[in-house]
Amino acid sequence: MHSKRRHFLKSSLAATALVLPDNIFGNSHAPAGRHIQEVKLAANTPESPKESIRFSVIGLNHGHIYGQVEALLGGGGELVAVYAKEADLLQNFVKRYPKVKIAQSIEEILEDESIQLVASAAIPVERAPLGIRVMQHGKDYMVDKPGIVNMEQFKEVKTVQKETQRIYSIMYSERLANPASVQAAKLVQSGAIGKVVQTIGLGPHRMRPHTRPEWFFDPDKAGGILCDIGSHQCDQFLFYTNSREAEVVTSQIGNFDNAKYPEFADFGDMQVRSPKATGYIRIDWFTPDGLDTWGDGRLTILGTEGYIECRKYIDIAGRKGGNHLFLVDQKETKYYDCTGLHMPYGEQLVSDVVNRTETAMTQDHCFLAAELAIQAQESAYRLQV
């Protein structure tokens, strides 16, 4: 009896296999022979910058300061002086830039009338008060994110900026210093994916607590996960959706794996919207050691005619390096290697300092991205984990 049943089942399955429709695996609409077109963008190193400025550095507490300095040097800036309280951080900076003058105080830099801009990556809670002093001394300010850590600071910075008309530029490096993000901007602005509907920004990071200073785990000093690295994603949402107003719909944070630091949050997400589009943002400190870089940062831009995905720092499918961009539209799928693409932020900011323009980033955009991140942080529901 059992052998007859097995024979019947085998015969039935074999017969069924012969008449299975082509689209049962979802590929009936895939054109035969279609493959992903791969495009390696040519390096487009620009001519020498047209403008130049003298700038100095105050505060070296985050390694992002080196990217800030390189952007300014590449954009036509001349590094004049540096001040930092920490001897070890100062030693490393001078080793990299041996011609820089070591200032003996913050005042020495602020009172030097030849200096047009100050760059800083100080402890986050110290960044806004320093920026206020910089603007009040008639200089422009370029600061690492988070450039402002709470709403009280935010209101004061906005007031002083309006009074002084100085530039307060927060370097949202995940857009401004990433070639794939620059290429994404070109594609969106050319209409490659139609009207932008939504952005999804994922910002996973590796932490390694033993390498972090104590202030990193204090949200009052560091800003908190959404205010800090979430500000990158708020900047990208506003930029790619071309939104000039927006609001936080909901936000939440949690501490899943760092009980030693109870006020710290190692996970956070938020939803934002504007009259034009929506955005989802997820941030975490859980990048595993098995990944070959500090985080698999991703940006997806959904449009009415297609979508773009940026794999900024690694392609886990196997392509080497970072700066990967994928474009899917109504006709084809393309892969772009964006490695050689020029990033214009430094040159644009230098030009803005000289010409009093807003080509690198409008002041309203800079502040709105920071405001969204602060609001999300301050109103976040705390998960009980």
Side-chain angles (χ1 to χ4, degrees), residues 108-358:
E108 181 180 335
I109 291 175
L110 295 182
E111 293 170 7
D112 184 343
E113 295 183 358
S114 74
I115 294 171
Q116 296 156 275
L117 178 143
V118 171
S120 179
I123 294 173
V125 73
E126 299 174 358
R127 294 173 186 175
L130 174 62
I132 289 169
R133 293 180 65 188
V134 168
M135 291 189 292
Q136 289 172 336
H137 279 78
K139 305 182 191 306
D140 296 315
Y141 189 51
M142 182 242 239
V143 62
D144 182 25
K145 63 80 222 162
I148 307 168
V149 300
N150 57 54
M151 198 54 65
E152 182 180 355
Q153 286 187 348
F154 180 76
K155 292 176 181 177
E156 188 174 3
V157 167
K158 281 194 73 175
T159 297
V160 174
Q161 191 280 323
K162 187 174 181 180
E163 291 172 349
T164 62
Q165 291 297 296
R166 307 316 302 178
I167 296 170
Y168 194 105
S169 185
I170 301 174
M171 187 173 177
Y172 300 113
S173 57
E174 290 191 17
R175 175 173 66 88
L176 298 168
N178 182 266
S181 298
V182 173
Q183 177 64 11
K186 294 180 178 180
L187 291 170
V188 168
Q189 290 162 6
S190 72
I193 58 171
K195 183 179 180 179
V196 175
V197 174
Q198 185 200 42
T199 64
I200 299 176
L202 305 181
H205 283 59
R206 180 180 288 132
M207 180 165 49
R208 292 177 177 162
H210 65 280
T211 68
R212 300 286 178 171
E214 283 298 313
W215 59 259
F216 171 83
F217 299 97
D218 183 347
D220 290 336
K221 294 180 179 178
I225 191 167
L226 293 177
C227 174
D228 179 13
I229 47 183
S231 63
H232 283 304
Q233 312 301 332
C234 292
D235 161 70
Q236 291 172 90
F237 164 73
L238 294 173
F239 180 77
Y240 292 112
T241 64
N242 193 29
S243 296
R244 292 174 173 79
E245 57 181 297
E247 63 181 337
V248 177
V249 178
T250 186
S251 61
Q252 56 193 349
I253 56 176
N255 185 343
F256 286 83
D257 196 37
N258 286 277
K260 182 180 177 181
Y261 305 99
E263 299 304 314
F264 182 72
D266 50 27
F267 172 88
D269 70 352
M270 57 190 286
Q271 185 179 353
V272 293
R273 68 181 169 210
S274 74
K276 296 182 175 184
T278 71
Y280 173 73
I281 293 164
R282 193 201 79 207
I283 308 297
D284 67 75
W285 288 102
F286 294 125
T287 294
D289 288 341
L291 196 71
D292 286 339
T293 188
W294 55 265
D296 184 9
R298 282 175 276 172
L299 169 69
T300 300
I301 309 170
L302 173 65
T304 55
E305 300 297 326
Y307 66 90
I308 291 168
E309 182 176 3
C310 297
R311 302 298 290 261
K312 298 183 181 183
Y313 310 111
I314 191 169
D315 174 14
I316 61 173
R319 293 181 179 87
K320 294 182 179 179
N323 309 314
H324 309 284
L325 183 148
F326 300 87
L327 167 67
V328 184
D329 61 19
Q330 302 289 9
K331 297 180 180 179
E332 60 187 342
T333 299
K334 280 187 177 181
Y335 162 75
Y336 291 85
D337 179 350
C338 306
T339 303
L341 208 61
H342 172 61
M343 294 167 289
Y345 169 68
E347 185 176 353
Q348 291 170 338
L349 182 58
V350 168
S351 178
D352 289 341
V353 170
V354 174
N355 299 305
R356 312 317 298 168
T357 51
E358 292 187 322

Side-chain angles (χ1 to χ4, degrees), residues 55-82:
F55 75 96
S56 292
V57 171
I58 300 174
L60 305 172
N61 298 90
H62 198 293
H64 285 165
I65 191 62
Y66 293 100
Q68 294 171 251
V69 170
E70 289 301 316
L72 289 167
L73 291 174
E78 175 190 351
L79 176 57
V80 178
V82 59

